[in-house]
Amino acid sequence: MNILLIDDDSDTAFLMDVLIRDLPFVEEYHIKLKAKNALRFLTTYEKPLSCIFVDIKMPEMDGFQFVQKYEEDFRLKFPDTQVYFLTSSARQSDRSRAMEFSSVKEFILKPLSKNKLKEIYERLMN
């Protein structure tokens, strides 16, 4: 499983690093603190990505803008990648807007757990 996490909060990035690094089913993971950095990363990354976890509320480019740009520019390059919004926003309007994107599989409230990651991994394997 190859993962890209995009979140502007360095504490969240640190916690995700601790959570993900020892999971036996995670081959590779990358953490980007800005959506624009993630887009630059995607232009040069060549391996298949299993999933992208993206926060909604970020400066410069929010999660919605990122996913729109991802679908326009990278959906063909990464056709099997599943996108998950990982956010602290419990607003129904954010959930509804997130689920309008074709690449988005789920709207997950922070924090992400090992059990949730394992569930996603098992779904990907089936």
Side-chain angles (χ1 to χ4, degrees):
M1 181 174 193
N2 289 346
I3 297 172
L4 172 60
L5 170 74
I6 308 156
D7 197 309
D8 66 309
D9 181 64
S10 57
D11 291 338
T12 297
F14 173 78
L15 292 173
M16 288 297 296
D17 179 48
V18 170
L19 173 74
I20 294 172
R21 79 173 120 196
D22 294 326
L23 294 176
F25 52 85
V26 176
E27 248 178 79
E28 191 174 304
Y29 67 96
H30 304 272
I31 298 173
K32 302 297 175 190
L33 294 176
K34 293 183 179 181
K36 289 183 179 183
N37 291 346
L39 291 171
R40 276 193 290 280
F41 168 78
L42 290 172
T43 61
T44 60
Y45 191 73
E46 295 300 325
K47 296 179 185 176
L49 271 172
S50 307
C51 50
I52 297 172
F53 294 95
V54 61
D55 189 18
I56 289 178
K57 294 180 181 14
M58 296 184 287
E60 295 179 32
M61 175 182 273
D62 68 22
F64 297 123
Q65 292 167 317
F66 169 82
V67 175
Q68 172 139 9
K69 190 77 173 145
Y70 167 80
E71 288 188 350
E72 290 169 2
D73 296 349
F74 298 101
R75 192 70 180 140
L76 292 176
K77 182 177 179 181
F78 302 105
D80 298 323
T81 301
Q82 297 182 357
V83 177
Y84 296 86
F85 275 99
L86 179 61
T87 182
S88 56
S89 172
R91 293 174 45 193
Q92 183 57 43
S93 60
D94 284 344
R95 177 183 297 272
S96 297
R97 185 173 174 199
M99 297 313 296
E100 289 175 6
F101 293 99
S102 62
S103 59
V104 173
K105 298 301 173 203
E106 198 171 338
F107 187 92
I108 303 168
L109 291 177
K110 290 179 182 177
L112 186 62
S113 68
K114 285 183 181 182
N115 287 340
K116 187 63 176 178
L117 270 172
K118 188 171 188 218
E119 175 189 315
I120 291 168
Y121 171 73
E122 289 170 354
R123 206 177 318 148
L124 286 167
M125 294 298 104
N126 290 331

